[in-house]
Amino acid sequence: MSSDNTTHTNRRTYVTIAGAGGIAGLSGCVGFGGSGDGGDGGSNGGDGTDGETGGDDTPDTITFGQPASLSGQWDFLQPGISQATDAAINHVNEAGGPLDAELEVARRDTAVDPQEARTVATQLVENDDVAAIIGLFSSEINPLWDFLQDLSTPVVTPWPGSTFLDTRGGDKGTPEDMSDDEWVWRTVVGDTVHTSGSAAFAIEEGLDTLGVINGTTEGERSYVEGFVSAYEANGGTVAERVEVELGASSYQSALSRLFEADFDAFLMSLPQESAITALSDWSDGGYGRQPILSDTLTSQAVIDQVGSDLNGAWGATPGQSGPNYDTFEEIYSEAGDADINAWTPPAWDAVQVTALAIERAGEATPEAIQQNLGPVSRGEGTEVSTFAEGKEALANGEEITYQGAATPVNFTQHGNVFGTVSINTAQDGEFTQTSEVSAADVREFVEEGQY
């Protein structure tokens, strides 16, 4: 057991994780592989590499850090992210590794608490000497923005939807000039994208007037603000909005206030536990009208708890239809039995594109990665679907553009991505994808230069 909740994964230990790592990781103190003594799992050089270097100054090992939701209100999503990350690490190593080094991951629990995230990010950089950070949620990034800029380590994350990042992050389209860089990139479409897709679908469905109920955290507010902005800009009207504290034993009072207004449907953005309480109160109260759910609520646990009254409710999630989703899915399914969620393909992409940035750079420093994330993901280079393909193309002197599992990646100047949006509808006791909003349609809802 690791005293600081760190796990290390590499190709030698991967076999022992497959099929079990996602579930076991929820305890926050299960160690896989690593140094074998249950310590912090690594003692790296100051250049972002692990252990001794070879005779040609290339590293033997390179470590990525993963701040993780091993505990807390989002822990039900982490097994898929852990499995996707571990599968990607294994794939990269099977292809020879970046710079022919062995890639590892140091995983530490933050419970999605900003102060704990600050501690974990510091530990990953100072103790584990990671070359890049593969993680962090909106509610961690936003309050820690200045700290992360001072940390000067690339954060390539599959998690955050926050509109805060719409115009923050990336290399501003000038990878050779780091003076204007901001060190955060996300491989998942932001709230502006999938809430725009959700708003577009609501208007297409003739839902001209909505009620809104949301929680007080950054993630819930961001989701609603992204939806409402696109919805109102395209002719929709919000009749009433009610904000509630999380963890209440009943939301009947808030629902009574909300349903005093006249609207066609209502949007709910709450963490899963609070949402189940609120939707159960809605069902018991017979309020009617169709729910529209935020992305994390299109889960089996919600429909199991609320029951058949939820039939017809729908929510929009980042699409799982990147150009090379099938490649990801095949490798992922062989790595374990954790469910795929909207953030698992972006976790795969985060590892792949960061490893390719190292390969192109020829070194594993944070600065080199920061300068090469843009060049390996956008432009007119040879399209590659995996690290293996990219490593070969780069060795042949070609420029590359990584085509991902979740999206084409193709980072914008602010380090964001565009992709399709899936509409998932509750019916017959489960959520099923019933429609899709194309990336092109979503782009029409997002102002040029604002994402």
Side-chain angles (χ1 to χ4, degrees):
M1 180 175 294
S2 173
S3 61
D4 59 10
N5 294 345
T6 303
T7 65
H8 273 252
T9 304
N10 59 32
R11 60 183 165 190
R12 290 186 297 270
T13 62
Y14 186 80
V15 173
T16 62
I17 302 174
I23 296 173
L26 289 178
S27 68
C29 54
V30 177
F32 297 119
S35 61
D37 62 2
D40 66 22
S43 176
N44 308 346
D47 61 353
T49 61
D50 244 335
E52 297 297 325
T53 58
D56 59 353
D57 292 329
T58 57
D60 287 337
T61 55
I62 297 168
T63 305
F64 290 168
Q66 186 165 72
S69 179
L70 300 175
S71 61
Q73 63 182 347
W74 304 113
D75 63 1
F76 66 97
L77 295 173
Q78 185 63 44
I81 278 52
S82 296
Q83 183 170 309
T85 302
D86 297 343
I89 294 288
N90 190 51
H91 163 78
V92 169
N93 286 330
E94 287 180 344
L99 311 183
D100 298 329
E102 184 151 330
L103 187 60
E104 298 182 345
V105 61
R107 184 172 294 130
R108 293 177 180 266
D109 186 22
T110 71
V112 197
D113 174 82
Q115 290 309 308
E116 186 61 23
R118 182 186 182 108
T119 299
V120 164
T122 301
Q123 291 171 333
L124 289 170
V125 171
E126 295 185 358
N127 296 353
D128 300 312
D129 290 316
V130 301
I133 292 173
I134 309 296
L136 292 177
F137 284 66
S138 299
S139 52
E140 297 168 316
I141 291 172
N142 296 14
L144 297 179
W145 183 257
D146 291 341
F147 162 76
L148 293 173
Q149 300 313 302
D150 291 339
L151 202 63
S152 298
T153 300
V155 175
V156 188
T157 172
W159 287 118
S162 176
T163 56
F164 176 88
L165 294 176
D166 284 3
T167 55
R168 295 178 174 88
D171 61 7
K172 308 310 174 192
T174 57
E176 70 285 350
D177 176 14
M178 296 187 68
S179 65
D180 58 356
D181 280 27
E182 295 172 313
W183 295 77
V184 176
W185 309 71
R186 53 181 169 181
T187 51
V188 66
V189 298
D191 287 348
T192 294
V193 173
H194 63 269
T195 57
S196 293
S198 185
F201 187 76
I203 290 171
E204 183 181 310
E205 291 292 292
L207 302 175
D208 299 325
T209 308
L210 295 182
V212 176
I213 181 168
N214 65 270
T216 55
T217 66
E218 174 61 34
E220 282 72 51
R221 284 174 171 159
S222 174
Y223 190 94
V224 165
E225 287 162 5
F227 183 105
V228 169
S229 176
Y231 181 72
E232 291 182 333
N234 288 273
T237 300
V238 174
E240 182 64 57
R241 178 174 176 179
V242 176
E243 191 165 271
V244 297
E245 294 296 328
L246 306 183
S249 59
S250 172
Y251 290 100
Q252 285 289 3
S253 176
L255 291 169
S256 294
R257 295 200 311 274
L258 179 66
F259 280 87
E260 286 176 358
D262 184 24
F263 47 78
D264 300 319
F266 66 99
L267 173 66
M268 177 173 288
S269 180
L270 292 167
Q272 183 174 281
E273 183 177 345
S274 295
I276 288 172
T277 300
L279 287 168
S280 298
D281 289 345
W282 162 78
S283 176
D284 292 343
Y287 289 101
R289 285 174 266 187
Q290 178 178 299
I292 301 173
L293 306 175
S294 61
D295 47 3
T296 58
L297 300 183
T298 57
S299 70
Q300 191 62 40
V302 173
I303 202 168
D304 286 346
Q305 291 292 318
V306 178
S308 61
D309 282 352
L310 207 57
N311 283 346
W314 55 267
T317 61
Q320 298 179 357
S321 55
N324 291 293
Y325 178 82
D326 290 346
T327 300
F328 152 78
E329 186 177 36
E330 180 179 357
I331 297 172
Y332 179 88
S333 64
E334 293 174 354
D337 57 5
D339 290 339
I340 291 177
N341 59 53
W343 296 269
T344 48
W348 166 273
D349 287 342
V351 173
Q352 299 288 326
V353 74
T354 307
L356 287 169
I358 293 173
E359 190 72 17
R360 183 182 187 272
E363 58 180 280
T365 63
E367 294 79 9
I369 295 171
Q370 176 72 11
Q371 287 188 292
N372 284 274
L373 284 165
V376 299
S377 65
R378 59 192 179 214
E380 302 301 323
T382 301
E383 293 187 355
V384 299
S385 63
T386 63
F387 175 80
E389 292 178 5
K391 184 178 177 73
E392 181 179 359
L394 288 166
N396 292 332
E398 303 169 34
E399 288 293 348
I400 62 171
T401 176
Y402 172 67
Q403 300 290 294
T407 73
V409 183
N410 195 20
F411 285 124
T412 71
Q413 63 176 325
H414 304 303
N416 295 313
V417 295
F418 274 96
T420 60
V421 174
S422 298
I423 304 298
N424 304 289
T425 303
Q427 52 190 23
D428 300 325
E430 62 182 1
F431 280 98
T432 304
Q433 181 175 329
T434 53
S435 186
E436 186 174 82
V437 183
S438 71
D441 288 344
V442 173
R443 276 183 180 270
E444 294 180 7
F445 275 63
V446 181
E447 293 183 31
E448 189 69 28
Q450 293 303 302
Y451 186 73

